[in-house]
Amino acid sequence: MRILLIGAAGRLGTAVEKTLADRGHEVVTVGRSTGRLRYDVADPEQVAALYGDPALYGGAGALDAVASAAGDVVYNPVADMAAGDYASSFRGKVLGQIELVRQGIAHVAERGSFTLITGVLGRDPIPTSSAAAMANGAVEGFVRAAAIDIAPQRINAVSPTVFTESLPHYGDFFPGVPPVGVMEVAQAYVRSIEGGQTGRVYELS
Amino acid sequence: MRILLIGAAGRLGTAVEKTLADRGHEVVTVGRSTGRLRYDVADPEQVAALYGDPALYGGAGALDAVASAAGDVVYNPVADMAAGDYASSFRGKVLGQIELVRQGIAHVAERGSFTLITGVLGRDPIPTSSAAAMANGAVEGFVRAAAIDIAPQRINAVSPTVFTESLPHYGDFFPGVPPVGVMEVAQAYVRSIEGGQTGRVYELS
């Protein structure tokens, strides 16, 4: 398959790219400052430019899948959040991924798929995570509903807990929480892209 | 208790106001074009003006509870959504309610509460509901996480399915879905405001 992967430079994106490439897929990587194509999908106009980029198609026709492994949100206690922090978190993790779908419908194969990233904090929050939880809940609600509208195209979300590989940096924020390895999370992308399900949130925790 | 109620003019808000007043609470109603105070809480600056309004306190000190029964979102198939429809739905149902909390922390009693409105579409979507599902998921994620940060203040969400009283207008969109009466939904506000729980999503369906 020909797969557009956003956020391929991150810890998870790197694992997803390797996993998909090892399975014989052609992965076109996109990032703000790394990747084959350079776009910031948090900006809806750059999403339009991305889907309009001739390099994306290269004679191979429609995309078979769009996969996202990126999203930025603000971490702070509710009382310390600034006026714009929830709106910027919405743009950074919700709107960009929604625009990949809304604008991508016309560029993805009839039975192609979208796979978005959320995370454990929507269901199991930690202190300072209200914007992350808001964003994850938003994406998961969108995925469940959008699946109805876009069929036979499919859409799923991958919702991992803290990565085993991130424990040295973030482990203290997740006391007692079992971590998940990024290669296991990457398998959820395979499941979403190569499988037949839609409207699912694959929880890895 | 002294309770700020946003959206008191709607079908649900009317039931919530009556229920709370019948239980002896002082309810200060807020709406865009009706209610004792006139503010559009979808605008963060009007939320600030609301909390700064001397009429809100009237010598009675801090608020004991803030309850929201309002939120506007766009309904359309994903492919027919316009560029700004998800952002306007975010402002209309998510950001306004979050700002009621973020800005309200300083104006609500130490053990006071916030009660926000979501809805069934976040978990059981229907066609055209991707913005509604996004908004409901966002508010529910926020509520679960914010509960940690704002304690001992409390926060819960009320998430009803289609109202029995709305079946003549909306029943066709919810085939086979058992409705709930607005007076039963109003009891979830009582439970949130007078009870001791926090971080809960009261699902009425």
Side-chain angles (χ1 to χ4, degrees), chain B residues 5-194:
Chain B
L5 175 62
I6 294 90
R11 195 184 290 276
L12 174 60
T14 303
V16 173
E17 181 185 6
K18 175 171 173 28
T19 299
L20 294 174
D22 285 350
R23 295 179 67 84
H25 298 300
E26 180 190 356
V27 182
V28 181
T29 57
V30 182
R32 270 177 300 205
S33 54
T34 57
R36 198 162 121 198
L37 304 176
R38 305 288 169 89
Y39 294 98
D40 180 359
V41 301
D43 174 359
E45 292 185 8
Q46 292 201 40
V47 173
L50 165 62
Y51 280 125
D53 190 329
L56 191 53
Y57 306 99
L63 291 161
D64 296 296
V66 174
S68 167
D72 292 323
V73 296
V74 178
Y75 288 86
N76 244 333
V78 176
D80 296 339
M81 288 282 189
D85 284 345
Y86 290 103
S88 71
S89 299
F90 173 73
R91 287 192 301 274
K93 189 158 188 181
V94 184
L95 188 61
Q97 296 200 93
I98 288 178
E99 287 298 303
L100 282 170
V101 179
R102 188 184 72 86
Q103 299 189 40
I105 289 172
H107 302 282
V108 166
E110 188 185 1
R111 292 183 175 273
S113 68
F114 298 89
T115 305
L116 307 186
I117 184 73
T118 68
V120 69
L121 296 172
R123 57 185 181 278
D124 271 328
I126 61 175
T128 78
S129 72
S130 66
M134 177 277 289
N136 292 341
V139 173
E140 293 179 9
F142 172 79
V143 162
R144 280 188 284 265
I148 297 174
D149 289 345
I150 72 171
Q153 289 177 338
R154 298 180 302 104
I155 180 169
N156 298 296
V158 176
S159 182
T161 187
V162 63
F163 301 142
T164 307
E165 295 81 357
S166 299
L167 286 179
H169 289 101
Y170 302 117
D172 288 351
F173 295 105
F174 293 88
V177 177
V180 62
V182 288
M183 294 309 287
E184 186 180 339
V185 181
Q187 289 301 318
Y189 282 79
V190 172
R191 188 175 175 185
S192 174
I193 292 168
E194 297 185 23

